[in-house]
Amino acid sequence: MPELNDIRKTLEQHGQEHLLSFWDDLNEDQQQSFLQQLEAIDFDELDELIESHVRHEPDKSIPDDLQPADPIPPVGSDDESAMALHEQARKKGLELIAEGKVAAFVVAGGQGTRLGYEGPKGCLPATPVVQKPLFRLFAEQIRAAALRHRVTIPWYIMTSPTNDTATQAHFRQNDFWGFSPKDVMFFRQGTMPAIDRDGKVLLARPGRLALSPDGHGGCLTAMRNSGALDDMARRGVEYISYFQVDNPLVHAIDPVFIGLHAMQNAQMSAKALPKREPMEKVGNFCKVDGKVHVIEYSDMPEELARQCTSDGRLRFNAGSIAIHILSRSFVEQLTEGGRCRLPWHRAEKKVNFLDLQSGQTVQPTEPNAVKLEMFVFDAMPLADQTVLLETRRTEEFSPIKNAEGPDSLTTSLHDQVRRWARWLEQAGVSIPRDADGQVAAAIEISPLYADSADELANKVDKSISISPGQNFYLGSRGQIGGS
Ligand code: UTP
């Protein structure tokens, strides 16, 4: 058990002794748990970070020799050699899935402050007809792939200390959405203290630090320390299909992407999208000395972001959408010793804190603190080999980030309907459209029935009719539901 005197000394050495202001008001249990919380913090590292990221702005200069990164063209492109490569990759990917070498991994530890939904974002009802929670939608996709290949695909779910209990309760209440509980592993990511502008760590309440999750980049260390990597090794998993909890269009298990990654002996791969406009708020895939880097939109000089090639395309056109394949061996290598040092990023945020004078909780209306986060894409330059695969926005990217406006539930529901309508049309089913050509019905297809346009085309009865205004649901056995 940590000793109060030792901790007090450490706090004094680091100018953080205010954290013990309410010590005498805590009962014995609270004192013990607070000591443990304080002991888990590396105050030497924190001092350095306060100097580099709180008292000063970290250096955001970008390398001089920034080059665009060229992704492999997407499915359906007219580049014949790329399509031949896709076909080879699909076969390889299917083999690896069938051999049980692939796991699904969703990062779901974020705070979802922009969306403002009560509860973990993965529990948000997010499909157009059945209003399936995001977790159910992913569960069905992963189970569909597993059933197709008669194999187990384990699912790893990263939560945060704040949403872990609620996330696990959601799964228990819903019979793990059809998964066997032994094949779903939850683990919590690490946290970092919030720091005020004077470099002081904030208290959330007496005996509790104001902590926030350490960013999706924290998943690498969390996979190691939770035993998830060991569990993968025991199961023979070699490839980790990484996605975010907020994108209902993601293909959680994509044979082509997995196959390309494996065929090119890549360690970390990523899907890319052509940017909508030069300053779109997505990271930019770039190359520096032959390594792939993601330069955040806020760090990309506008002049570079706007540069065009001779055919009028953006020179830096490849945007990052946080869909990756990670080789298990790569994560093991990066986290040797129980830690992975990716760069820290700072964000100024509103953080509720305990006012030391009044003893009251303050809810600031303006950003008052710096949060520190790691981003998973910062592992890309550490990989010797990387595959970048272009995908289509309409097929695979429509995140739910905001309560309204762009990238909200409303836009994502529309995009889901459009994608499922397009799959049906490609299969020969006629879709009601309004005078502007917009789909005039709510349409949803269970991933357990068909999880791609091709799979749907092989199964669906082309004579089914969908009327304008209908809520149309194609269920797991092809039964029609909705209203
Ligand atoms: P975002 O960057 O959109 O952050 O996360 P967020 O916390 O969900 O939302 P805001 O910014 O507070 O509105 C992208 C993905 O990374 C996960 C999220 O759960 C989401 O799947 N994430 C983010 C984590 O797992 N941990 C983190 O610390 C941050």
Side-chain angles (χ1 to χ4, degrees):
M1 270 297 153
E3 286 293 331
L4 174 62
N5 281 343
D6 296 342
I7 298 266
R8 193 187 295 281
K9 217 188 290 164
T10 307
L11 292 177
E12 280 167 6
Q13 279 163 3
H14 294 274
Q16 305 289 358
E17 60 277 14
H18 62 283
L19 294 174
L20 293 177
S21 303
F22 298 91
W23 179 259
D24 294 336
D25 302 339
L26 305 179
N27 66 30
E28 225 168 276
D29 286 351
Q30 290 168 329
Q31 289 182 339
Q32 276 316 313
S33 109
F34 192 36
L35 284 182
Q36 279 169 8
Q37 206 180 40
L38 290 169
E39 213 203 11
I41 292 177
D42 179 341
F43 281 97
D44 288 328
E45 185 195 20
L46 199 62
D47 272 353
E48 283 172 28
L49 282 170
I50 290 172
E51 205 43 41
S52 58
H53 286 66
V54 180
R55 297 193 204 285
H56 298 97
E57 288 270 337
D59 178 19
K60 288 195 160 190
S61 58
I62 55 161
D64 292 337
D65 52 345
L66 212 59
Q67 298 296 322
D70 260 341
I72 296 170
V75 174
S77 112
D78 51 15
D79 179 330
E80 283 178 18
S81 71
M83 290 311 96
L85 185 64
H86 272 242
E87 248 343 279
Q88 239 183 314
R90 183 187 309 281
K91 285 198 192 102
K92 178 74 185 169
L94 291 173
E95 263 168 46
L96 293 170
I97 297 166
E99 287 165 49
K101 294 195 170 149
V102 177
F105 176 35
V106 63
V107 285
Q111 294 174 303
T113 40
R114 284 168 290 173
L115 183 65
Y117 172 68
E118 276 289 318
K121 215 192 245 191
C123 307
L124 175 81
T127 65
V129 178
V130 181
Q131 298 181 0
K132 294 178 185 173
L134 288 159
F135 282 132
R136 174 174 172 193
L137 190 62
F138 303 137
E140 291 186 356
Q141 277 200 38
I142 302 163
R143 282 179 54 220
L147 288 168
R148 215 174 290 131
H149 297 285
R150 295 194 183 82
V151 72
T152 298
I153 300 181
W155 188 13
Y156 299 86
I157 300 177
M158 185 173 81
T159 61
S160 74
T162 316
N163 71 15
D164 183 74
T165 306
T167 303
Q168 295 209 40
H170 171 88
F171 275 80
R172 275 196 307 275
Q173 281 151 14
N174 293 291
D175 290 330
F176 286 76
W177 296 122
F179 260 80
S180 165
K182 69 177 180 14
D183 297 325
V184 185
M185 178 170 176
F186 302 89
F187 57 90
R188 296 171 187 213
Q189 68 176 108
T191 52
M192 279 298 274
I195 299 154
D196 74 9
R197 294 214 172 84
D198 299 324
K200 301 287 181 199
V201 172
L202 291 174
L203 281 173
R205 53 176 199 271
R208 274 282 129 197
L209 300 174
L211 296 174
S212 48
D214 59 1
H216 40 68
C219 73
L220 303 177
T221 308
M223 272 195 260
R224 156 79 71 168
N225 294 342
S226 63
L229 284 180
D230 290 340
D231 186 71
M232 290 179 198
R234 265 194 306 277
R235 291 170 184 266
V237 166
E238 288 178 21
Y239 303 101
I240 305 166
S241 182
Y242 169 109
F243 55 95
Q244 300 194 332
V245 78
D246 53 17
N247 178 18
L249 290 194
V250 71
H251 290 287
I253 301 289
D254 177 350
V256 174
F257 190 31
I258 294 162
L260 284 169
H261 173 94
M263 278 171 14
Q264 304 205 7
N265 288 321
Q267 293 175 306
M268 178 165 180
S269 295
K271 284 196 182 169
L273 273 189
K275 290 194 298 182
R276 246 187 204 139
E277 39 112 10
M279 304 308 292
E280 184 179 353
K281 291 184 175 178
V282 291
N284 293 270
F285 284 114
C286 301
K287 274 201 156 172
V288 181
D289 288 338
K291 300 275 187 177
V292 173
H293 290 240
V294 175
I295 307 287
E296 280 187 88
Y297 64 90
S298 49
D299 296 345
M300 189 78 176
E302 188 164 345
E303 175 209 339
L304 270 190
R306 293 192 182 280
Q307 268 182 7
C308 286
T309 56
S310 53
D311 60 1
R313 279 168 50 99
L314 286 178
R315 185 160 168 256
F316 291 93
N317 195 29
S320 164
I321 50 169
I323 303 175
H324 299 286
I325 304 291
L326 289 151
S327 289
R328 172 175 54 85
S329 55
F330 179 57
V331 184
E332 284 169 351
Q333 181 191 317
L334 290 182
T335 57
E336 227 172 279
R339 196 131 192 219
C340 171
R341 291 192 176 272
L342 296 179
W344 289 99
H345 296 256
R346 65 172 261 153
E348 293 197 17
K349 299 266 172 147
K350 290 184 267 184
V351 176
N352 295 352
F353 67 98
L354 186 69
D355 182 75
L356 299 182
Q357 258 79 51
S358 65
Q360 301 294 314
T361 303
V362 179
Q363 294 187 330
T365 49
E366 294 298 321
N368 61 317
V370 171
K371 281 189 183 177
L372 295 162
E373 290 192 329
M374 288 179 283
F375 296 155
V376 75
F377 55 68
D378 281 327
M380 295 212 58
L382 307 176
D384 293 329
Q385 278 295 334
T386 295
V387 168
L388 282 188
L389 172 62
E390 184 174 320
T391 184
R392 293 180 198 277
R393 194 181 292 266
T394 50
E395 181 64 24
E396 216 179 342
F397 188 59
S398 186
I400 303 171
K401 299 275 186 200
N402 302 313
E404 49 194 34
D407 294 344
S408 61
L409 179 59
T410 310
T411 54
S412 184
L413 289 171
H414 278 125
D415 290 339
Q416 291 174 61
V417 167
R418 279 192 209 112
R419 185 182 74 172
W420 277 314
R422 198 178 57 251
W423 288 6
L424 284 164
E425 272 175 340
Q426 281 173 17
V429 175
S430 86
I431 296 292
R433 290 188 178 269
D434 64 18
D436 299 329
Q438 298 299 326
V439 180
I443 294 175
E444 179 173 342
I445 299 173
S446 167
L448 288 162
Y449 180 64
D451 204 14
S452 66
D454 288 346
E455 192 179 11
L456 185 71
N458 286 332
K459 286 184 164 175
V460 74
D461 171 2
K462 292 160 189 49
S463 66
I464 52 178
S465 95
I466 305 175
S467 1
Q470 190 179 343
N471 275 335
F472 175 87
Y473 179 59
L474 212 43
S476 57
R477 290 177 308 284
Q479 75 279 22
I480 293 174
S483 53

